[in-house]
């Protein structure tokens, strides 16, 4: 019998081998192959119907392209549009299209595709950010290389959103199975995928632009931060797209096999106040809580001191950025005074946070510092995203919460009184509307005022801005330090 | 014997049905709305309602259950809320990975446990036997994920002999497949081997004390021969029982090990599906796991009767 059981196990293995032959990712390691590690895997390839950051991170600018893109400084620059003009009333956009562009299924890219893609957002997309496109009134095909977009009202936000997935160009013949077969004009095509493991991109042979330096890019999905680091150490991957364990950074910095690129992101870690719920309806209470928290100390504890103190909902890559991190210096005495002035003594607040590492460690600092000024908090970690989304975000059932707001230019959420901040300020709403319809200069001036007003009202406490930390093998270069768009842009990467 | 097997089959079927109801009800009371999670922030109430209707989660629970189980009986596990893909083929792919892992882990465990356990039993009065028992005690206390982390640190991060994780299908590159399987199988198998070693030792010790072995010895067989010819088959009965029970533990261990080694198996699929409230997928996976464990119990029951003729009559 001693012999028979291992034989049985071996037989089982042989039987099973039949099952595991599925969609497979073929990778031949070589100098023109790059392997990049990510933490969040795309559920499918259809970002028109599936929300979340992982799909545009993999596909935008790499597989799909828009008329315009964001450069690493956060400026809107040409991509499939060579140039564009804006009418004096700021409602009509004339885009001159780049010639000789083809989709990966061989169809030429023309103004008809611009019309098809932009109008399709309204009819076929189901994700919520599609509402930014509601402002499009109609699209005219003036010539095959000239598309005219007419808006129902002027909107700077619209042009900006064209740099996101909303501006991605599709072919009418390429949208049959977006979830599995993405067809775009970009430098790469999706060659293979293995769920739970990887997506393989191969250089698009018919690409109109500069040929990418890496012919094959393997996007490896590794959820656990330690496993992600180990994969880089053991040659499993060449790049970590974003470090999620900041304590490990010094180890990489000390090792000359690797290089560390650190910049800023769009991700504000925010202590949200429920502005609609007493006593947080009183600005003095919100200001007191803001004075009570030592954000520098919090950043040291929660994210190993990496990150930027910004004091507002504006990252440094936005044109209207101003450093407002010193408006509320750490001042427990002032916090206590404000609290007693507002008659808000003996407070007991519910700090309901997502069960994510940065939120849990930040919450503990917040709790102990608020305790020093006599505010008791109960930390309630909620399963993220499901429970947090339902209870805090949708039902507004919270006093305080901590979450990173990852979307670009999401300061506009303070213009929506129904948003979970519960912040309702007519002046801010008006300024946001004016900024959207005005000239770029007006936009900058108005947005600065919005940021200042939010700060004065202590509408939230912006704890810190997440850093963007990329770690790569020393031989890989061409990274943009700052993460400004939704895309992990592979086009600039090259051996050094 | 046929009646006995038929009764086992009936018990098996009823257990599966009860399990399916329990799994379904658990999903229904789980907090968090799948439509909300699928749509993300800024979802409008209209869009939420539309998506709920599309998923079919706005219908009565009973209707939902019968729809689901009816489909499963025809091999249709439905479409995932998140990937919008059919769940069945995906489940099979992932199950393949997990079975490779469990199978290889079990193989490692048996290769360790049978000789080492037998050795410890035969030499139980000697220092060497006691030493082996002591080592297995330590092994039992180590969780599989810790073994995995230690193995990765040594063989992947420091020595860079083997990959720290990831999966290559066997039909694509057999060499890479084996290299990738070594560390996960070892981390599952070493711990499991330590557990099994103790059972093998006890079972063999038990057998050594039996009258029939003494008879065999008195007929002139050496102790080793007697054990191999007459003892091991008898000792294997309790070991097979434990093996069946341990398979369930091994499956759970595999879930954790899959996360450590980034293997696209059922375990990592389950964790992702739970996080994204992909309820249909969760239901499918849990059902497959439950059926797997019940199936193992069923097979163990049948194996008894094969191994021990005394159990056939009753």
């Amino acid at each position: 019998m001693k012999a028979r059981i291992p034989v049985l196990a071996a037989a089982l293995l042989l039987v099973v081998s039949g099952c595991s032959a599925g969609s497979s990712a073929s990778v031949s390691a070589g100098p023109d192959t790059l392997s990049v590690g990510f933490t969040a895997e795309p559920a499918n390839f259809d970002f028109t119907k599936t929300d979340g950051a992982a799909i545009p991170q993999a596909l935008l600018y790499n597989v799909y392209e828009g008329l315009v893109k964001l450069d690493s400084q956060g400026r809107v620059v040409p991509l499939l549009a060579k140039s564009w003009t804006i009418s004096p009333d700021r409602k009509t956009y004339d885009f001159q299209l780049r010639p000789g562009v083809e989709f990966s299924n061989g169809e030429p890219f023309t103004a008809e595709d611009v019309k098809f893609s932009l109008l399709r957002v309204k009819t076929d997309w189901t994700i919520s950010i599609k509402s930014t496109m509601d402002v499009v009134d109609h699209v005219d095909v003036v010539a095959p290389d000239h598309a005219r977009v007419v808006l129902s009202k002027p909107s700077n936000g619209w042009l900006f959103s064209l740099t996101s997935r909303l501006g991605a160009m599709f072919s009418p013949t390429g949208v049959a199975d977006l979830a599995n077969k993405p067809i775009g004009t970009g430098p790469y095509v999706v060659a293979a995928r293995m769920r739970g493991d990887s997506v393989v991109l191969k250089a698009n042979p018919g690409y109109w632009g500069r040929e990418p330096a890496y012919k094959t890019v393997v996007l490896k999905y590794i959820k656990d931060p330690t496993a992600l680091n180990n994969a880089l150490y053991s040659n499993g991957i060449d790049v970590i797209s974003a470090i999620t364990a900041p304590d490990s950074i010094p180890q990489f910095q000390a090792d000359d096999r690797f290089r560390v690129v650190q910049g800023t992101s769009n991700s504000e870690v925010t202590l949200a106040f429920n502005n609609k719920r007493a006593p947080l309806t009183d600005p003095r209470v919100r200001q007191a809580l803001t004075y009570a928290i030592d954000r520098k100390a919090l950043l040291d504890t929660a994210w190993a001191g990496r990150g930027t103190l910004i004091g507002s909902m504006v990252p440094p890559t936005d044109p209207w950025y101003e450093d407002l991190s010193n408006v509320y210096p750490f001042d427990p005495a002032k916090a206590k005074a404000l609290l007693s002035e507002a008659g808000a003594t003996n407070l007991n607040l519910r700090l309901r946070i997502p069960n994510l590492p940065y939120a849990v460690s930040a919450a503990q600092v917040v709790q102990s510092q608020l305790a020093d000024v006599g505010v008791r908090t109960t930390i309630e970690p909620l399963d993220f995203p499901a429970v947090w989304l339902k209870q805090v975000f949708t039902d507004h059932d919270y006093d305080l919460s901590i979450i990173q707001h990852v979307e670009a230019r999401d300061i506009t959420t303070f213009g929506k009184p129904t948003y979970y901040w519960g912040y309702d300020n007519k002046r801010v709403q008006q300024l946001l509307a004016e900024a959207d319809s005005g000239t770029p200069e007006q936009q900058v001036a108005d947005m600065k005022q919005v940021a200042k007003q939010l700060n004065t009202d202590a509408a939230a406490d912006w704890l810190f801005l997440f850093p963007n930390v990329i770690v790569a093998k020393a031989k890989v270069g061409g990274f943009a330090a700052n993460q400004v768009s939704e895309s992990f842009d592979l086009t600039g990467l090259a051996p050094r | 014997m046929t009646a006995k097997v038929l009764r086992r089959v009936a018990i098996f079927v009823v257990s599966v049905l009860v399990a399916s109801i329990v799994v379904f009800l658990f999903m229904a009371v789980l907090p968090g709305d799948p439509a909300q999670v699928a749509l993300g922030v800024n979802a409008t109430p209209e869009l939420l309602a539309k998506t709920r209707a599309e998923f079919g989660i706005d219908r009565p629970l009973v209707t939902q259950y019968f729809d689901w189980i009816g489909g499963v009986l025809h091999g249709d596990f439905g479409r995932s809320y998140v990937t919008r893909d059919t769940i069945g083929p995906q489940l099979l792919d992932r199950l393949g990975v997990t079975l490779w892992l469990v199978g290889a882990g079990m193989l490692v465990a048996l290769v360790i446990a049978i000789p080492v356990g037998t050795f410890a039993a035969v030499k139980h009065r000697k220092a060497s036997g006691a030493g082996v028992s002591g080592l297995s005690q330590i092994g039992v206390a180590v969780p599989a994920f810790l073994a995995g982390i230690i193995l990765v640190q040594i063989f992947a991060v420091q020595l860079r002999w083997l990959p720290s994780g990831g999966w290559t299908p066997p039909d694509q590159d057999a060499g890479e497949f084996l290299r990738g399987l070594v560390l996960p199988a070892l981390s599952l198998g070493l711990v499991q081997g330590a557990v099994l070693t103790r059972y093998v030792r006890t079972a063999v010790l038990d057998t050594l004390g039996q009258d029939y072995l003494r008879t065999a010895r008195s007929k002139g067989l050496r102790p080793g021969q007697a054990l191999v010819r007459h003892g091991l088959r008898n000792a294997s009965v309790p070991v097979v029982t434990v093996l069946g029970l341990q398979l369930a533990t091994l499956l759970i261990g595999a879930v954790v090990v899959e996360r450590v080694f980034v293997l696209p198996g059922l375990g990592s699929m389950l964790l992702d599906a739970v996080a994204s409230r992909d309820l249909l997928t969760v239901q499918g996976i849990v059902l497959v796991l439950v059926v797997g464990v019940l199936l193992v119990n069923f097979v163990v029951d049948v194996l008894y009767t094969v191994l021990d003729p005394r159990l056939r009559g009753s």
Side-chain angles (χ1 to χ4, degrees), chain A residues 12 25 42 73 103 114 218 264 281 370 454 458:
Chain A
L12 180 75
Q73 270 79 50
F103 286 97
V114 177
V218 183
T264 62
T281 42
L370 291 186
L454 294 177

Side-chain angles (χ1 to χ4, degrees), chain A residues 236-294:
Chain A
I237 55 174
D238 303 307
V239 181
I240 295 176
S241 63
I243 283 277
T244 51
D247 294 328
S248 64
I249 297 170
Q251 227 181 321
F252 285 115
Q253 277 172 326
D255 192 332
D256 56 14
R257 285 181 294 162
F258 307 110
R259 57 196 295 253
V260 176
V261 180
Q262 180 170 342
T264 62
S265 70
N266 281 331
S267 221
E268 304 92 358
V269 177
T270 306
L271 173 63
F273 302 142
N274 190 343
N275 283 256
K276 271 219 173 72
R277 186 181 277 194
L280 295 161
T281 42
D282 188 332
R284 289 171 300 184
V285 174
R286 302 194 301 262
Q287 287 163 345
L289 300 186
T290 311
Y291 276 121
I293 293 165
D294 181 354

Side-chain angles (χ1 to χ4, degrees), chain B residues 186-203:
Chain B
L186 277 180
S187 35
L188 259 188
L190 285 177
V191 177
Q192 209 57 42
V195 176
L196 277 182
T197 298
R198 300 178 59 216
Y199 284 105
V200 172
R201 178 179 175 271
T202 314

Side-chain angles (χ1 to χ4, degrees), chain A residues 35-248:
Chain A
S35 183
V36 186
F38 294 87
T39 44
E41 185 188 1
N44 57 51
F45 292 132
D46 186 0
F47 55 53
T48 75
K49 288 197 159 67
T50 308
D51 210 345
I55 314 176
Q57 188 173 52
L59 300 187
L60 194 65
Y61 302 169
N62 301 323
V63 173
Y64 289 113
E65 293 177 314
L67 296 173
V68 288
K69 80 183 269 188
L70 270 190
D71 73 1
S72 55
Q73 270 79 50
R75 289 173 307 220
V76 179
V77 296
L79 189 57
L80 290 179
K82 278 190 302 190
S83 61
W84 63 94
T85 53
I86 307 171
S87 66
D89 68 356
R90 306 192 63 77
K91 293 206 303 203
T92 305
Y93 287 70
D94 278 282
F95 292 97
Q96 300 298 327
L97 308 182
R98 200 174 286 282
V101 176
E102 275 184 6
F103 286 97
S104 59
N105 65 357
E107 295 283 332
F109 165 71
T110 68
E112 288 288 353
D113 301 310
V114 177
K115 181 175 179 177
F116 169 75
S117 303
L118 294 183
L119 296 183
R120 195 173 176 276
V121 177
K122 285 196 206 182
T123 54
D124 283 57
W125 288 46
T126 59
I127 61 168
S128 35
I129 58 162
K130 71 172 194 154
S131 58
T132 326
M133 284 289 169
D134 290 350
V135 68
V136 174
D137 186 77
H138 61 277
V139 182
D140 292 329
V141 178
V142 182
D145 62 347
H146 181 181
R148 178 176 291 154
V149 182
V150 180
L151 307 183
S152 54
K153 62 176 171 88
S155 172
N156 292 313
W158 175 76
L159 184 66
F160 181 77
S161 66
L162 277 194
T163 68
S164 74
R165 69 185 103 173
L166 288 170
M169 287 295 135
F170 297 89
S171 162
T173 57
V175 292
D177 188 10
L178 288 178
N180 297 300
K181 290 194 181 61
I183 290 168
T185 60
Y188 288 100
V189 292
V190 173
R193 87 171 301 196
M194 187 157 75
R195 278 193 219 283
D197 184 81
S198 57
V199 169
V200 180
L201 302 180
K202 285 236 190 301
N204 173 5
Y207 186 53
W208 59 269
R210 202 164 52 109
E211 205 184 349
Y214 295 103
K215 300 287 169 283
T216 305
V217 179
V218 183
L219 313 176
K220 285 284 264 178
Y221 295 101
I222 303 177
K223 193 152 281 172
D224 178 63
T226 314
L228 191 59
N229 291 350
N230 286 340
L232 184 59
Y233 277 123
S234 62
N235 282 330
I237 55 174
D238 303 307
V239 181
I240 295 176
S241 63
I243 283 277
T244 51
D247 294 328
S248 64

Side-chain angles (χ1 to χ4, degrees), chain A residues 289-313:
Chain A
L289 300 186
T290 311
Y291 276 121
I293 293 165
D294 181 354
R295 286 175 292 277
K296 177 75 186 69
L298 181 137
L299 176 59
D300 288 343
T301 311
W303 215 244
R306 288 170 191 274
T308 319
L309 302 179
I310 47 174
S312 76
M313 198 68 176

